[in-house]
Amino acid sequence: MRITWNTRNLFGGLLLLLGVSLQGQSVSQFGTLPVVNLNIGLSNGWEVNTKWETRQILSTSVDGERLERGFDFSLSDHAVVLAKKVGLNSKVAAGYLLRFRDGDIINRSIQQFSVVQRLRNFRLAHRLASDQTFVQTEAVEFRLRYRIGTEFALNGQSADAEEFYLKLNNEYLASWQGTDFDFEIRAVPVLGYKFTDRNKLELGLDMRFDSFLTEDLRRRSWGIIAWYYKV
Amino acid sequence: MRIFPFLLLAVLLSFSNGLTAQKKFERETRLRENDVPAAALSFIQATDPQERIRWYYEENLEGNSVEAKFKRESARYSVEFDTLGNIQDVEIEISPDELESSLKDEVDDNLTEQFTKYKWQKLQRQYTGSVTQLQSLLRGEQELSGLTIRYELELKGTKERHTALYEITFDEAGLITRQRQIIFKNANHLEY
């Protein structure tokens, strides 16, 4: 597989982004986030999407001072979403997620609307979502989310089978829980490889910044490995 | 409780559709100039291009081809060759407003028969002819006599409450000669 000049530059850019993101400030965590996403097409524009995701924390720092280092299993998420194509490029979906963390089971309901635009040399995706998280001992957490994502082919005008692509996601989340409000920003650059149109693997970084409105800014970075498969 | 998602998955898999064939399949790969057939390079060089040319190798169900793409005076050009470098056609993207109104009306009448609702999205004028005729066209010498002109339209259309994107080819009389549904590449990694 020949790597072109453009691919080398993008690798370099991704490494630079990694370097900048790891500068510590307030609370910082770094870990891994493997994901398996399975999509099953049904008839008449319906489909089911299932996702399994786990997180492992490798290090935690406060104000640049490392407190913990090692391999700490944080949580696992299991989500099922039922989606319907409602336009040429758009879908609505609703589903449920179960989160297993520290022996607790957390329930979350999910709703989303997505649009994927086919532009000349890239695809642009918009996702508007809301979710409600239910924990027995806490007030319900309501979140509203907007994500914009782009997919650039690294060879040709669109990413075909046996080709690499670059995906950049940027998401904004607003959260209300009781009288508390928080805001989170996520930036996710990944390098993907399309084995076939239905089978993709992605490697990248999921960078999350929250607690802006308090003095305890939290930065979390997850090394992502994600497998997408469509049946 | 952790088994539930797997059980649900097993049930849902049993209801899943089988694979459906793509109606329009296209795969394109960027080509370095060194890999472009000599005849295709010579053809383009003879038109004295001032623009940057991007070369692509395109594979589809009807055969493979080599394409030169460039932008000139805000218009997008695509020059198609077979894999040996023999010229096939020249396509220039135009606005639907550039069509003669009588031709557009004829096409609209034909589209109305097939679609309950539709919208013109992208239009290309396609020229076929001899090497000298097409080179003359690309040099801007406007020698259109002897050239065969067809149009390739990308259309968002609704049939029987199902909306899809179609590629429609029609001739200078407005007669539709080919219609293919464009199948989008899978986007679950962008949607979820």
Side-chain angles (χ1 to χ4, degrees), chain B residues 174-188:
Chain B
L175 184 65
I176 294 174
T177 56
R178 188 176 71 176
Q179 183 183 128
R180 298 190 292 183
Q181 184 179 334
I182 297 172
I183 305 298
F184 295 154
K185 289 186 168 71
N186 182 15
N188 59 336

Side-chain angles (χ1 to χ4, degrees), chain A residues 41-42 47 49 83 89 91 112 118 120 123 147 151 155 157-161 167 197-198 200, chain B residues 9 12 16-17 19 27-30 56 69 76 93 164-165 184-186 188-192:
Chain A
L42 305 174
E47 65 185 33
N49 185 271
N89 305 306
K91 292 178 185 171
Q112 73 172 53
R118 293 162 59 243
R120 193 169 296 277
R123 291 199 282 185
R147 187 180 76 189
E151 177 202 69
N155 188 347
Q157 293 182 300
S158 62
D160 297 309
K167 186 176 84 174
D197 190 48
R198 294 168 178 260
K200 306 175 192 74
Chain B
L9 175 60
L12 290 167
S16 69
N17 270 343
L19 287 173
R27 175 200 163 111
E28 45 84 35
T29 315
R30 188 79 187 269
Y56 296 89
K69 296 190 180 184
R76 295 184 183 274
E93 193 171 323
L165 203 64
F184 295 154
K185 289 186 168 71
N186 182 15
N188 59 336
H189 63 304
L190 295 169
E191 294 161 341
Y192 297 103

Side-chain angles (χ1 to χ4, degrees), chain A residues 24-29 59-68:
Chain A
Q25 188 175 6
S26 209
V27 178
S28 298
Q29 283 183 321
S59 77
T60 302
S61 306
V62 176
D63 291 334
E65 184 182 337
R66 182 171 288 146
L67 296 184
E68 291 177 32

Side-chain angles (χ1 to χ4, degrees), chain B residues 13-44:
Chain B
L13 277 173
S14 66
F15 286 100
S16 69
N17 270 343
L19 287 173
T20 54
Q22 287 187 349
K23 307 241 173 95
K24 179 188 174 188
F25 165 76
E26 226 169 56
R27 175 200 163 111
E28 45 84 35
T29 315
R30 188 79 187 269
L31 270 183
R32 292 174 186 269
E33 206 168 273
N34 292 343
D35 297 327
V36 175
L41 268 178
S42 299
F43 177 97
I44 291 293

